[in-house]
Amino acid sequence: MMNSWTTPDRPGEPLADRYAHRSSTLRGAVRHRLVDRALAEHLPTARPQQVLDVGGGTGVQARMLAGRGHHVTVLDPDEAMLARARTSWPAHAHDAPGSVTFCRGFGEQAPQLVGTGWDVVLCHGVLMYLEDPAPLLRVLAQCLRPGGIISVLAYQADALAIRRGLTRDWGGALQALHSPVEDNSIGTVSRGVDRAMVLRIFAEHHLDLLQWYGVRVFTDHLEDECAGDDFDQVVQAEWEVGRIDPYRGIARHFHLIACLRS
Ligand SMILES: C[S@@+](CC[C@H](N)C(=O)[O-])C[C@H]1O[C@@H](n2cnc3c(N)ncnc32)[C@H](O)[C@@H]1O
């Protein structure tokens, strides 16, 4: 099951290293904090949730959820990403009321690898590496129990030109206005994903949208800038702007949270 993540353009320099670096920048930290805050609004708290994190990568989200008592299985085909996730987990494990386990494999094979009936299925930052995200989305819908929650984060096809323009990459901005395919900041090819297409697949599978957020309106163009003392204020500004139109429509990512009809 090849895609632009599993067949990187620069063999020899693991994507896992480039991705871990990006996650530690201001915009990486903002993204993780906003997505986690949205999940905290929608995940039931009465009992720990069984969460499947498809393409969970280095396990950042899994650790955050385990810290709030949930039990997370990270399913990912990239051994280098999983190795980072496995290495980081023990330092958090004794303080976390929840748990994280790991499974190597593609999301498209989730029912065979990790079963179905999950309370929550996450798919964050994965669809943009797939030539056709629809088959994976359909499988993810089948992994949920009735009443379960799906959370999908991907680059917005409609907003790819914004980062290019704000960084004065005029050639890139013009290209992004005409094609959803781009060379992204970790040096692999990615695609903007059509939010309407994801919503159509949700509807076909009886997934009712609970809320959608734009993730990174103000900070997306800040490249390698690190988080500063004003980080909490930055996050609050991004949180508020990411919930309202027209701003959320020009954020780097859309974040959709939906519930499987019971
Ligand atoms: C950009 S990382 C995102 C990691 C994590 N979800 C996050 O939000 O930080 C993309 C991840 O998707 C994984 N991936 C790529 N194709 C996949 C597929 N078909 N099924 C599941 N995971 C996949 C990659 O191995 C990689 O770990």
Side-chain angles (χ1 to χ4, degrees):
M1 224 159 295
M2 293 306 196
N3 58 52
S4 65
W5 186 281
T6 53
T7 52
D9 57 328
R10 273 196 251 161
E13 187 190 356
L15 272 177
D17 293 348
R18 291 182 246 159
Y19 186 71
H21 165 71
R22 194 176 65 173
S23 280
S24 68
T25 61
L26 169 65
R27 62 185 185 182
V30 163
R31 189 257 250 203
H32 286 299
R33 185 75 83 84
L34 292 175
V35 170
D36 190 54
R37 185 163 169 179
L39 288 176
E41 280 208 338
H42 295 281
L43 264 53
T45 49
R47 67 170 176 85
Q49 301 288 288
Q50 299 293 330
V51 182
L52 176 61
D53 189 356
V54 172
T58 54
V60 177
Q61 187 61 63
R63 291 193 292 279
M64 288 168 139
L65 289 173
R68 293 204 296 281
H70 301 299
H71 301 292
V72 188
T73 295
V74 173
L75 173 64
D76 198 292
D78 184 333
E79 190 47 54
M81 294 290 273
L82 279 180
R84 280 178 175 270
R86 282 196 188 96
T87 311
S88 321
W89 171 238
H92 300 262
H94 45 271
D95 289 333
S99 63
V100 182
T101 52
F102 306 94
C103 178
R104 186 168 183 200
F106 287 95
E108 289 86 341
Q109 293 162 347
Q112 297 86 344
L113 294 171
V114 291
T116 57
W118 293 87
D119 296 321
V120 180
V121 172
L122 312 179
C123 185
H124 298 164
V126 179
L127 298 185
M128 50 264 219
Y129 301 103
L130 311 183
E131 223 167 290
D132 178 8
L136 177 59
L137 282 168
R138 293 196 176 98
V139 171
L140 299 185
Q142 290 159 22
C143 289
L144 279 176
R145 66 160 172 81
I149 286 181
I150 187 166
S151 166
V152 172
L153 177 86
Y155 293 158
Q156 307 216 64
D158 290 346
L160 291 183
I162 302 283
R163 173 190 286 185
R164 306 289 162 183
L166 292 180
T167 55
R168 295 166 176 263
D169 170 9
W170 305 118
L174 287 166
Q175 188 185 323
L177 288 171
H178 300 287
S179 162
V181 181
E182 63 173 13
D183 295 325
N184 68 27
S185 59
I186 52 169
T188 189
V189 173
S190 54
R191 286 175 181 73
V193 177
D194 179 7
R195 193 175 70 244
M197 176 277 295
V198 179
L199 290 173
R200 271 197 305 277
I201 292 178
F202 278 11
E204 281 165 27
H205 291 269
H206 312 291
L207 290 161
D208 297 325
L209 187 68
L210 298 175
Q211 176 66 280
W212 86 270
Y213 305 85
V215 174
R216 279 204 322 237
V217 175
F218 296 137
T219 52
D220 188 63
H221 63 296
L222 296 180
E223 304 197 325
D224 279 356
E225 192 167 313
C226 294
D229 294 341
D230 57 357
F231 181 64
D232 287 342
Q233 214 175 8
V234 174
V235 169
Q236 187 60 24
E238 286 277 18
W239 175 252
E240 292 191 22
V241 79
R243 297 166 66 93
I244 51 175
D245 293 321
Y247 299 106
R248 61 183 176 173
I250 57 156
R252 175 65 164 169
H253 306 82
F254 60 76
H255 182 197
L256 308 179
I257 300 188
C259 178
L260 182 60
R261 226 168 286 155
S262 302

